[in-house]
Amino acid sequence: PLPITAIEIVRHVAAPQVFRRLVTVVAEYTGGDAVQAGLADVVADPDAIQGAALKAVRELAAIPAAVYQ
C-alpha cells in the first residue's frame, strides 16, 4: 500500500488524470514526461545535477523568511 501522506501530496500537485494513473496502475513518469505531467519542474543532465540543485537552493534562499510565516 502507498503511504496516505504521499498520496495526498500527489493528489494536490498532479492533474486528476495523472493522479489516477499513479495510484491505480502505479504508472512511472521519467524525464520530460514527468515535467509534462507536472510532477517535476526540470530535468537535469546527470553531469549538471549538482549545478541545477545549487541554483534551485539559491533561488529558494533568496526568498525572505517572512514569506513563510
Side-chain angles (χ1 to χ4, degrees):
L2 298 170
I4 192 69
T5 303
I7 290 173
E8 292 306 319
I9 290 169
V10 173
R11 183 190 315 269
H12 178 73
V13 300
Q17 65 274 20
V18 172
F19 175 75
R20 280 192 301 276
R21 289 199 67 231
L22 286 168
V23 298
T24 59
V25 297
V26 193
E28 292 184 19
Y29 291 83
T30 59
D33 291 337
V35 173
Q36 188 174 19
L39 301 172
D41 294 326
V42 296
V43 176
D45 179 30
D47 295 333
I49 194 74
Q50 185 173 6
L54 290 172
K55 179 180 182 278
V57 167
R58 286 186 195 105
E59 290 172 359
L60 290 172
I63 300 171
V67 169
Y68 297 104
Q69 295 177 358

